[in-house]
Amino acid sequence: MTSRKVVSFENIKVACKNCSLATLCLPMGLTPDDVERLDGIIKRGRPYHRGDHLYRGGDKFNSLRVITSGSVKTYSPNEDGGEQVLGFHLPGELIGLDAIQDDNHTCSAIALETTAVCEIPFSQLESLSCIMPSLQHQMYRLLSREIGQETEMLTLLGKKSAEERLATFLLSFSERFKQRGFSASDFFLSMSRHEIGNYLGLAVETVSRLFTRFQDENLLHVERKHVQLLNIPRLYDIVQGTDSAKSSQSRI
Amino acid sequence: MTSRKVVSFENIKVACKNCSLATLCLPMGLTPDDVERLDGIIKRGRPYHRGDHLYRGGDKFNSLRVITSGSVKTYSPNEDGGEQVLGFHLPGELIGLDAIQDDNHTCSAIALETTAVCEIPFSQLESLSCIMPSLQHQMYRLLSREIGQETEMLTLLGKKSAEERLATFLLSFSERFKQRGFSASDFFLSMSRHEIGNYLGLAVETVSRLFTRFQDENLLHVERKHVQLLNIPRLYDIVQGTDSAKSSQSRI
DNA sequence: AAAATGACTTGATCCTTATCAAGAAAGTCT
DNA sequence: AGACTTTCTTGATAAGGATCAAGTCATTTT
């Protein structure tokens, strides 16, 4: 019975040209003809369930992957047995870029919920990008964007307070959900408090306390994974770290 | 008189095929013919002096740059006027990769000492990489490597203690100097304590105290910018954060 | 439905590192 | 050379967040 269900899933193969994520994804900026050619090398497998690994550190690198639904956590093991969460990835986002370097995955990727992905065999993508300059350009842009995003994380971890980190985290999801046509102020987080803390360089307890405090300050309403942002502008103030957030609150 | 000197500098244009850094740099893995073609698009300008900007955030992005001598700091301004140091770059290292994304530099690069660079006009590099698959491959690898390196910084800033951070920092320079044919245990750091602290997410005072402590523990000898590493293995122990460093010290 | 498990929250305490403050050393300028 | 500036060091204190310890709430198991 599961097998029949899986087969039906596999039949739901949305071609790039019909995919709502195309504007966020690799086909962005390509002509319809080029999208068609790119589509030709993409593999769409069965969905992953919560806890399934898309790949693990050390695995041979063959494909880049784009999340098409669900969400994924990437992480790398660190020396002393623990892990460092590297990112949370939503539909339209490309993962595995760090593995091009030496043909092996350096980090792992695990589904946080039922998740579908497109696999893009890298060697074929590379060949294709040799004959499709616009695809090559798009690849360079995506790789560069990834570098820019990690740079922002460096500032977050290097300079920001716990409060600023969580506000940044929440607004990042708000913006990304909005981009994808979902509510910017009402969403579910698919990861645990522990994973949020790990990602932000904070202890679980600190994350929990901050959620409570933000709620007490009417910045948001939170119930487990369900978050409703009630005062997005003030969250942006907090991100700025100008401390005007507190004063603007007291001015009310 | 300066102009004559500059002219003489400009004449010292080492072609890629004669450059000792070629194995670390873009030509890595290219055939001599391909290196020649790459060489054709590279511009070698006059050297920068300490404090000169190679580019600033907001500048139009035209070229990637490879340091050929000296050293460079990259940084991005952050909201509240301060800056976040993103990296220190030694000969053979490629900078500007983050700017491909939107055709503008998002961060700034400044010479920490007299520094020479090769400029690689990106549009020409892109065209060339379309007809030279091995160059394209090398570009993907370099971009991917950059992502991997930033990932390591995330772990450093997210999980490591001040002590582990400084040890990691010192060993990174040790390894990179060694790769370049210099001593792995005796070198000059071209940046200030303040810049080190900024980069590592620590206060200047903490960096200073750690240098003193490491010296007291006979891990190194430091006098201003001149660093001599006296016990590299134990520095590696510290990086691991297993705390075995301290016990191995007391065992002596 | 009760028990067990895991996730989250809350409180109390401790520790690391930031901040504040001042002095020393090095480098710069006239 | 002497004054000035900047960088670095060192000490004292404070604060932010980690850690330790319980307890609560959900969810799953039996």
Side-chain angles (χ1 to χ4, degrees):
Chain A
M1 112 201 163
T2 29
S3 74
R4 196 190 288 163
K5 205 164 193 176
V6 167
V7 169
S8 79
F9 259 120
E10 287 203 72
N11 287 339
I12 310 179
K13 289 185 174 178
V14 177
C16 289
K17 63 178 175 187
N18 299 321
C19 178
S20 65
L21 296 165
T23 52
L24 292 167
C25 178
L26 213 45
M28 190 182 108
L30 265 55
T31 64
D33 266 11
D34 282 351
V35 173
E36 203 74 37
R37 283 199 281 179
L38 175 60
D39 203 32
I41 67 168
I42 289 177
K43 293 193 284 190
R44 297 177 179 86
R46 67 193 59 188
Y48 295 91
H49 299 110
R50 175 175 173 77
D52 290 346
H53 272 86
L54 282 65
Y55 53 81
R56 287 169 200 266
D59 285 358
K60 180 96 173 67
F61 166 67
N62 294 308
S63 303
L64 298 175
R65 285 169 176 83
V66 177
I67 321 297
T68 54
S69 69
S71 55
V72 166
K73 171 183 85 170
T74 49
Y75 66 97
S76 74
N78 67 16
E79 291 86 357
D80 46 319
E83 68 182 46
Q84 167 71 40
V85 174
L86 300 173
F88 301 108
H89 308 278
L90 299 183
E93 295 174 353
L94 192 60
I95 61 171
L97 293 171
D98 57 300
I100 295 171
Q101 185 190 176
D102 75 344
D103 248 33
N104 278 99
H105 284 287
T106 51
C107 62
S108 306
I110 189 170
L112 291 170
E113 59 193 306
T114 302
T115 295
V117 304
C118 286
E119 276 192 40
I120 310 164
F122 185 69
S123 60
Q124 288 178 258
L125 181 64
E126 214 174 350
S127 309
L128 209 54
S129 73
C130 263
I131 56 173
M132 283 169 52
S134 59
L135 178 61
Q136 191 200 54
H137 187 71
Q138 174 70 351
M139 279 298 295
Y140 286 146
R141 289 191 62 237
L142 288 173
L143 282 153
S144 177
R145 189 174 70 179
E146 188 73 18
I147 294 169
Q149 280 167 359
E150 291 199 3
T151 283
E152 284 176 38
M153 272 308 282
L154 295 187
T155 304
L156 183 90
L157 294 174
K159 303 272 175 299
K160 304 216 175 205
S161 68
E163 192 180 43
E164 290 165 349
R165 292 182 200 196
L166 187 63
T168 305
F169 175 82
L170 291 169
L171 289 174
S172 161
F173 276 89
S174 168
E175 287 170 8
R176 286 149 76 200
F177 281 125
K178 190 177 181 183
Q179 269 187 331
R180 283 156 185 79
F182 300 111
S183 170
S185 58
D186 189 320
F187 47 82
F188 284 80
L189 294 171
S190 56
M191 73 296 295
S192 68
R193 299 285 190 271
H194 183 84
E195 289 166 322
I196 295 173
N198 186 307
Y199 177 61
L200 297 176
L202 301 171
V204 204
E205 296 93 330
T206 304
V207 174
S208 182
R209 275 185 253 270
L210 283 169
F211 269 118
T212 306
R213 193 161 102 214
F214 282 177
Q215 181 160 255
D216 290 347
E217 293 171 356
N218 289 313
L219 295 172
L220 50 77
H221 179 78
V222 61
E223 199 180 334
R224 293 240 140 192
K225 314 243 173 205
H226 184 195
V227 176
Q228 289 169 283
L229 305 184
L230 304 177
N231 193 337
I232 291 182
R234 213 154 83 217
L235 284 170
Y236 276 104
D237 285 348
I238 291 176
V239 167
Q240 299 298 96
T242 42
D243 242 22
S244 69
K246 284 210 170 139
S247 47
S248 81
Q249 184 196 4
S250 58
R251 264 187 229 116
I252 291 173
Chain B
M1 110 198 165
T2 29
S3 74
R4 197 190 290 163
K5 206 166 192 175
V6 168
V7 170
S8 80
F9 258 119
E10 287 203 72
N11 288 338
I12 310 179
K13 289 185 176 180
V14 177
C16 289
K17 63 178 174 186
N18 299 322
C19 179
S20 64
L21 296 166
T23 52
L24 292 167
C25 178
L26 214 45
M28 190 181 109
L30 267 55
T31 64
D33 267 12
D34 282 350
V35 173
E36 203 74 37
R37 283 199 281 178
L38 175 60
D39 204 33
I41 67 167
I42 290 177
K43 294 193 283 190
R44 296 177 179 87
R46 67 193 57 187
Y48 295 91
H49 299 109
R50 175 177 173 76
D52 290 346
H53 272 85
L54 282 66
Y55 53 80
R56 288 169 200 267
D59 285 358
K60 181 97 173 65
F61 166 67
N62 294 308
S63 303
L64 298 176
R65 287 168 175 83
V66 177
I67 321 298
T68 54
S69 70
S71 53
V72 166
K73 171 183 85 170
T74 48
Y75 66 96
S76 75
N78 67 17
E79 292 85 357
D80 46 319
E83 69 182 45
Q84 167 71 40
V85 174
L86 300 173
F88 301 108
H89 308 276
L90 298 183
E93 295 174 353
L94 192 60
I95 59 171
L97 293 172
D98 56 300
I100 296 171
Q101 184 190 176
D102 74 344
D103 247 33
N104 278 99
H105 284 286
T106 50
C107 63
S108 306
I110 189 169
L112 291 169
E113 60 193 304
T114 303
T115 296
V117 304
C118 287
E119 276 192 39
I120 310 164
F122 184 69
S123 59
Q124 287 178 258
L125 180 64
E126 214 175 348
S127 308
L128 210 52
S129 73
C130 264
I131 56 174
M132 284 169 50
S134 59
L135 179 61
Q136 191 200 57
H137 187 71
Q138 175 69 351
M139 279 297 294
Y140 287 147
R141 289 191 61 237
L142 287 171
L143 282 154
S144 175
R145 189 174 69 179
E146 188 73 19
I147 293 169
Q149 281 167 357
E150 291 197 4
T151 283
E152 284 176 38
M153 272 308 282
L154 295 187
T155 304
L156 183 90
L157 294 174
K159 302 273 176 300
K160 304 215 174 205
S161 69
E163 193 179 43
E164 290 165 346
R165 292 181 201 195
L166 187 63
T168 305
F169 175 81
L170 292 169
L171 290 174
S172 161
F173 276 89
S174 168
E175 287 170 8
R176 285 149 78 200
F177 282 125
K178 190 177 181 183
Q179 269 188 331
R180 283 155 185 79
F182 301 110
S183 169
S185 59
D186 189 321
F187 47 82
F188 283 80
L189 294 173
S190 55
M191 73 296 296
S192 68
R193 299 284 190 271
H194 184 83
E195 289 167 320
I196 296 172
N198 186 307
Y199 177 61
L200 297 177
L202 300 173
V204 204
E205 295 93 329
T206 304
V207 174
S208 183
R209 276 184 252 270
L210 283 170
F211 269 118
T212 306
R213 193 161 103 214
F214 282 176
Q215 181 160 254
D216 290 347
E217 293 171 357
N218 288 312
L219 294 172
L220 50 77
H221 179 80
V222 61
E223 199 181 332
R224 292 242 140 193
K225 315 241 172 204
H226 184 193
V227 176
Q228 289 169 283
L229 304 184
L230 303 176
N231 193 337
I232 292 183
R234 213 154 81 215
L235 284 170
Y236 275 105
D237 285 348
I238 291 176
V239 167
Q240 299 300 95
T242 43
D243 242 21
S244 69
K246 283 207 171 140
S247 46
S248 80
Q249 184 196 3
S250 58
R251 265 187 228 116
I252 290 174

